[in-house]
């Protein structure tokens, strides 16, 4: 017991030193402390709360500073020159103040009850103590506060949870999840982000209450997925596996869990058998683990790159090989449905679909026609596709040759640059709409644009350089399409 006391004292000393360093080096935190000092000088309590305290203890950069206090709203308005009411937040005891060029959200200590919509409290009561306020928060690691002098207020053992690497709700987990059902996904996200274990009672409550996810607006589900996918691929894979373990994944992405019903051919996908039971789902997790880029679109593109395998499986006649013919095209159709359901933006949807449709083409990049290469490389989502293809290929244990992959990418980009430069010049000097209309007799319209595209592809593919051959191509292609 005495040894543990010494260890805790050392950790507290280290946290206090880090706090002092943060104040000196981070102007946002310094100005936040100035807010605390102003409130304290009037005889009220004030703390920086939530994620900032968690990040301080874990030695991570502090990105946001939120403040909680028992100073009444009218006193806040007298104390600070600029106080803003965002929407109807003032009705909930929340205002925003400007201090030193930074805006800080200040909430009054409050108690909440009766969450009839599974998100917002029906009743709010302003209270005078932080303990009551902290008791309504989601997880113990998010329920701490720190005062102006760097003293941590921790009523629910949040520090211990961090040191023990445990994700645990404040109080009864069933109550916390019924208050806001998205908290179940948040617990999974924090678990994967920090490589913490979810407390058994908390995990049990998630499993028991998982159907409540159906009551959440899909925009909020999407936001949580994006946050999960904003970490490395390894952490995102852990988040997906955690969602699967507690039964949430099958609710929000049944197309993904369906991949567990089939097998990959061992010869071509040994990683799927090392990762799990040899399914396309296991291959997808292995591919995610190869991604070191903390980019949500890249991670989501990897997650969905083989989603079409859930509807294209066929066992070959030898009873050993598994095939998924046209799973790329089928996958694009499924992604379109998922994007609509999750309210993805068109830009997000297009990047993920582009990767699904084209992720296998890079394996045979050297055999592709120049016009096809140019189209791929010039697409705005080329960088996403490269990373998806790299992870898809490199996860296959013993089968991936990095030099071959890098050479293929390099050659494709060289070809695209070469033909892109030529195309740029030819478009200006040779293939213009007026020339096509003069040679074919076409009138202005979409037919001219379609012919320009076809002739351009033909010129690139066949390396045509002189004007006569280009004119012949225009006439011949026009006749073919009539």
């Amino acid at each position: 017991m005495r040894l543990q006391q010494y260890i805790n004292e050392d950790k507290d000393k280290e946290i206090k030193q880090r706090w002092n360093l943060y104040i000196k080096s981070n102007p946002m935190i310094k100005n936040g402390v100035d807010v605390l000092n102003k409130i304290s000088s009037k005889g009220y309590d004030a703390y920086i709360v939530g994620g900032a305290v968690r990040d301080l203890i874990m030695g991570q950069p502090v990105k946001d500073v939120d403040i909680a206090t028992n100073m009444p709203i009218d006193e806040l308005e007298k104390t600070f020159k600029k106080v803003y009411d965002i929407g109807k937040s003032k009705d909930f005891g929340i205002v925003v103040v400007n201090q030193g060029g930074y805006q800080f959200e200040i909430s009054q200590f409050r108690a909440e009850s009766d969450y009839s919509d599974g998100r917002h409290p029906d009743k709010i009561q302003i209270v005078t103590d932080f303990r009551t306020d902290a008791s309504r928060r989601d997880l113990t690691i998010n329920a701490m506060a720190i005062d102006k002098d760097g003293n941590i207020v921790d009523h629910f053992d949040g520090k211990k949870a961090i040191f023990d690497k445990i994700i645990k709700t404040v109080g009864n987990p069933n109550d916390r999840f019924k208050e806001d059902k998205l908290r179940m996904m948040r617990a999974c996200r924090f678990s994967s982000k920090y490589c913490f274990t979810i407390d058994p009672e908390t995990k049990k409550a998630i499993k028991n209450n998982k159907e409540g996810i159906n009551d959440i607006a899909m925009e909020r589900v999407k936001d949580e997925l994006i946050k999960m996918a904003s970490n490395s691929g390894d952490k995102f894979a852990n988040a997906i596996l955690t969602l699967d373990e507690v039964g949430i994944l099958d609710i929000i992405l049944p197309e993904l869990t369906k991949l567990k019903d089939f097998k990959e051919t061992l010869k071509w996908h040994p990683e799927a058998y090392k990762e799990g039971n040899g399914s396309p789902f296991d291959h997808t997790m292995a591919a995610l683990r190869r991604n070191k880029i903390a980019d949500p679109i890249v991670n989501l593109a990897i997650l969905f790159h083989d989603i079409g395998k859930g509807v294209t499986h066929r066992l070959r006649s030898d009873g050993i090989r598994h095939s998924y013919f046209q799973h790329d095209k089928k996958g694009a159709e499924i992604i379109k449905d998922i994007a609509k359901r999750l309210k993805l933006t068109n830009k997000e949807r297009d990047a993920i679909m582009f990767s699904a449709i084209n992720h296998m083409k890079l394996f045979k990049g050297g055999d592709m026609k120049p016009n096809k290469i140019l189209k791929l490389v010039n697409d705005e989502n080329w960088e996403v596709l490269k990373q998806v293809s790299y992870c898809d290929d490199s996860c296959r244990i013993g089968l991936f040759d990095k030099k071959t992959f890098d050479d293929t990418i390099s050659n494709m980009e060289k070809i695209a640059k070469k033909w892109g430069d030529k195309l740029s010049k030819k478009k200006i000097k040779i293939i213009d709409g007026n020339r096509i209309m003069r040679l074919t007799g076409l009138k202005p319209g979409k037919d001219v644009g379609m012919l320009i595209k076809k002739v351009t592809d033909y010129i690139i593919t066949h390396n045509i350089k002189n004007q006569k051959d280009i004119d012949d191509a225009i006439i011949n292609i026009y006749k073919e399409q009539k």
Side-chain angles (χ1 to χ4, degrees):
M1 183 67 72
R2 187 180 296 273
L3 175 61
Q4 188 61 50
Q5 181 180 349
Y6 286 141
I7 292 173
N8 290 340
E9 288 175 355
D10 283 344
K11 288 180 178 178
D12 287 343
K13 184 178 179 181
E14 180 184 339
I15 292 168
K16 183 71 80 70
Q17 290 173 341
R18 189 181 299 138
W19 171 248
N20 292 329
L21 178 62
Y22 279 16
I23 292 175
K24 292 177 182 178
S25 62
N26 189 322
M28 177 180 64
I29 296 178
K30 180 184 180 301
N31 280 283
V33 173
D34 289 343
V35 173
L36 301 187
N37 281 319
K38 284 186 178 183
I39 295 175
S40 298
S41 70
K42 303 292 184 180
Y44 295 98
D45 298 330
Y47 306 102
I48 291 174
V49 297
V53 187
R54 177 195 69 228
D55 293 340
L56 166 70
I57 294 171
M58 297 181 70
Q60 298 190 357
V62 173
K63 298 178 181 178
D64 298 298
V65 171
D66 293 323
I67 295 170
T69 182
N70 56 4
M71 177 181 264
I73 295 285
D74 58 346
E75 290 296 320
L76 285 169
E77 291 174 332
K78 294 176 185 177
T79 303
F80 295 93
K81 291 182 180 179
K82 296 182 178 179
V83 179
Y84 307 96
D85 177 18
I86 308 299
K88 294 185 178 181
S89 60
K90 190 175 178 179
D91 297 339
F92 296 91
I94 303 171
V95 293
V96 174
V97 304
N98 188 300
Q99 174 67 38
Y102 291 89
Q103 290 191 333
F104 298 98
E105 185 176 280
I106 302 181
S107 60
Q108 290 184 284
F109 299 156
R110 64 185 189 269
E112 300 175 345
S113 59
D114 299 342
Y115 298 75
S116 59
D117 67 352
R119 180 183 181 186
H120 302 101
D122 298 329
K123 298 177 183 177
I124 293 175
Q125 178 184 357
I126 303 301
V127 297
T128 59
D129 65 297
F130 177 68
R131 181 185 180 90
T132 301
D133 182 87
S135 68
R136 68 180 175 81
R137 298 177 183 266
D138 57 356
L139 305 172
T140 59
I141 64 171
N142 297 331
M144 295 175 287
I146 190 166
D147 67 14
K148 60 185 178 59
D149 299 315
N151 300 306
I152 291 177
V153 182
D154 181 14
H155 294 296
F156 298 99
D157 292 330
K159 277 195 301 182
K160 185 176 187 304
I162 289 175
F163 298 150
D164 293 343
K165 298 186 176 182
I166 294 291
I167 295 297
K168 185 178 182 180
T169 59
V170 175
N172 187 316
N174 290 294
D175 292 340
R176 295 295 82 79
F177 296 143
K178 287 174 182 176
E179 290 165 357
D180 186 347
K181 296 164 185 178
L182 193 69
R183 286 173 171 174
M184 292 183 280
M185 290 188 68
R186 280 171 57 81
C188 296
R189 171 164 61 88
F190 281 115
S191 171
S192 63
K193 180 178 180 179
Y194 298 129
C195 299
F196 284 11
T197 301
I198 299 179
D199 167 74
E201 288 302 312
T202 300
K203 183 180 287 187
K204 180 180 178 182
I206 295 175
K207 292 179 178 180
N208 290 340
N209 292 279
K210 65 180 184 291
E211 295 300 331
I213 294 293
N214 288 309
D215 300 329
I216 300 173
M218 271 298 163
E219 291 89 344
R220 298 185 73 208
V221 172
K222 172 219 170 174
D223 288 345
E224 273 302 311
L225 282 174
I226 291 289
K227 289 176 182 177
M228 290 177 181
S230 296
N231 297 297
S232 65
D234 191 51
K235 290 184 176 181
F236 186 44
N238 290 339
I240 293 299
L241 289 170
T242 303
L243 290 173
D244 186 43
E245 180 187 358
V246 298
I248 292 177
L249 189 64
D250 196 43
I251 295 172
I252 61 175
L253 291 172
E255 301 91 342
L256 196 59
T257 57
K258 189 176 182 181
L259 296 182
K260 295 192 293 182
D261 295 340
F262 308 103
K263 296 290 184 183
E264 296 282 13
T265 301
L266 176 60
K267 179 180 178 181
W268 301 118
H269 288 286
E271 80 291 340
Y273 291 84
K274 182 178 180 181
E275 175 73 32
N277 296 318
S279 70
F281 180 87
D282 297 313
H283 159 71
T284 299
M285 295 302 104
L288 274 174
R289 296 192 191 286
R290 295 295 300 166
N291 180 39
K292 308 305 177 187
I293 301 173
D295 183 297
I297 299 305
V298 170
N299 273 322
L300 287 172
I302 296 171
L303 183 69
F304 296 135
H305 80 281
D306 272 351
I307 199 76
K309 288 186 174 180
V311 295
T312 55
H313 175 263
R314 185 167 67 87
L315 184 63
R316 296 290 184 89
S317 57
D318 58 12
I320 297 174
R321 291 176 297 159
H322 301 267
S323 67
Y324 297 92
F325 182 63
Q326 290 194 335
H327 74 274
D328 47 353
K329 294 178 182 178
K330 291 292 184 181
E333 296 172 8
I334 294 171
I335 290 168
K336 190 178 292 186
D337 291 337
I338 292 173
K340 184 177 181 181
R341 186 170 75 240
L342 291 180
K343 313 293 185 184
L344 295 181
T345 65
N346 290 344
K347 188 176 180 66
E348 291 165 341
R349 178 202 63 202
D350 292 347
I352 296 168
M353 285 180 61
F354 178 76
S355 298
I357 292 171
N358 297 298
H359 72 276
M360 294 190 300
K361 291 180 180 177
L362 271 62
F363 299 144
K364 30 189 171 177
D367 300 327
M368 292 175 65
K369 293 180 179 180
N371 64 308
K372 301 295 185 184
I373 292 175
L374 184 64
K375 186 176 180 181
L376 278 182
V377 176
N378 281 356
D379 193 277
E380 63 177 335
N381 297 305
W382 168 244
E383 293 299 323
V384 177
L385 174 61
K386 279 200 301 184
Q387 187 63 13
V388 172
S389 296
Y390 168 77
C391 295
D392 182 35
D393 197 5
S394 66
C395 73
R396 299 189 305 140
I397 304 166
L399 300 173
F400 177 66
D401 186 322
K402 188 174 187 304
K403 184 178 184 306
T404 299
F405 182 87
D406 290 344
D407 288 347
T408 298
I409 296 295
S410 178
N411 288 335
M412 290 179 72
E413 291 178 340
K414 286 177 182 177
I415 290 171
K417 185 179 187 311
K418 171 185 172 183
W419 288 105
D421 291 343
K422 289 186 176 183
L423 171 59
S424 177
K425 295 173 184 176
K426 285 185 168 70
K427 264 191 171 179
I428 295 171
K429 296 180 180 179
I430 302 169
I431 314 176
D432 63 79
N434 289 329
R435 190 177 194 86
I436 282 182
M437 287 188 287
R438 188 165 61 250
L439 289 170
T440 63
L442 282 171
K443 301 297 182 184
K446 65 179 182 180
D447 289 341
V448 174
M450 290 175 60
L451 189 54
I452 288 175
K453 183 181 181 304
K454 290 183 178 181
V455 173
T456 298
D457 287 348
Y458 185 85
I459 288 171
I460 294 173
T461 302
H462 295 85
N463 194 19
I464 296 175
K465 298 178 180 179
N466 69 71
Q467 184 66 66
K468 182 179 182 306
D469 289 342
I470 291 173
D471 287 348
D472 289 343
I474 291 173
I475 294 169
N476 290 333
I477 293 172
Y478 168 67
K479 289 179 178 178
E480 289 174 3
Q481 74 175 20
K482 281 183 67 177

